[in-house]
Amino acid sequence: MDLRVLGGLTVHEAGVPIAPPTAPTRQVLALLAASTDHAVPTCAIAEELWPNGAPAEAELLLETHVRRLRAVIAAALRAQGGARSAEGVRARVPGGYPLDTGGGSDARAFERTAGAGYRAMGAGDLEPTSRRLREALGRWTAAPFAGVTQGPHLRTRAAQLT
C-alpha cells in the first residue's frame, strides 16, 4: 500500500486507488494512515470524527465507516489480484484498528530523507545536506492531509509533520 499524506490524501494498493466514498470514511482512512502499522484506538477515531462529543449512535456510525473502508480496500485488493485480504490490511484488534500498509508512506520517506540531510549537516557535508533536504521537501505538494476534514488527532499529526 502506498500512502501519500504530504498534500492531498491518496492511497493506492499496487497502483489501484483506494478512495472512500464519504468524507467521514476518508477521515478514518487519513487517521489510520497517520498511524500506519499501529492500532488507532476506537475512542481516538470517535474523537476525530466528533470532536465536540459523539452522537448517541456513534458506535454504529463508526462501524459503518470502517465497513465502508474495508469494502473499498477489498475492491482495490481484488482489482490488483494480490494475496492480501481487506481483513488483514484493516483488521480490528482489541480496542482499535491498525492499517497494515505492507509498503511505504511519503511521510516516512520524508522523515528518513530529512534525517539523513540533518545528519549530513551535523557532519559538515554541505552537498549531501542540500541534496537530501531538497529531496525531502520535494515530497510535499500541499499541507498534510489537505482536503480531509481534520479533527484533533489529524491536526496534531499534521503539525508534527510541518
Side-chain angles (χ1 to χ4, degrees):
M1 187 173 290
D2 181 38
L3 304 172
R4 303 280 178 218
V5 301
L6 301 177
L9 175 69
T10 59
V11 180
H12 291 83
E13 176 68 33
V16 178
I18 295 174
T22 66
T25 306
R26 187 171 172 77
Q27 192 174 2
V28 170
L29 176 59
L31 185 59
L32 296 177
S35 304
T36 54
D37 303 321
H38 295 93
V40 177
T42 52
C43 62
I45 298 171
E47 290 169 354
E48 181 66 27
L49 292 172
W50 304 288
N52 297 321
E57 65 278 4
E59 188 174 333
L60 177 63
L61 290 170
L62 190 131
E63 288 177 15
T64 299
H65 298 311
V66 169
R67 197 170 34 256
R68 285 179 182 157
L69 181 56
R70 184 182 294 132
V72 172
I73 292 171
L77 290 169
R78 279 192 306 276
Q80 61 94 7
R84 294 181 356 128
S85 71
E87 290 74 27
V89 171
R90 211 276 335 117
R92 180 163 172 68
V93 298
Y97 297 93
L99 182 65
D100 177 12
T101 63
S105 115
D106 60 347
R108 283 186 180 169
F110 168 80
E111 290 168 349
R112 280 192 309 273
T113 307
Y118 286 120
R119 286 189 296 281
M121 183 186 302
D125 295 332
L126 298 182
E127 191 278 322
T129 297
S130 175
R131 183 172 32 84
R132 290 296 198 165
L133 293 178
R134 266 196 313 275
E135 181 183 341
L137 288 174
R139 296 182 183 283
W140 288 77
T141 58
F145 308 105
V148 176
T149 302
Q150 294 183 21
H153 297 282
L154 280 177
R155 276 195 302 275
T156 298
R157 183 61 179 138
Q160 291 170 343
L161 290 170
T162 55

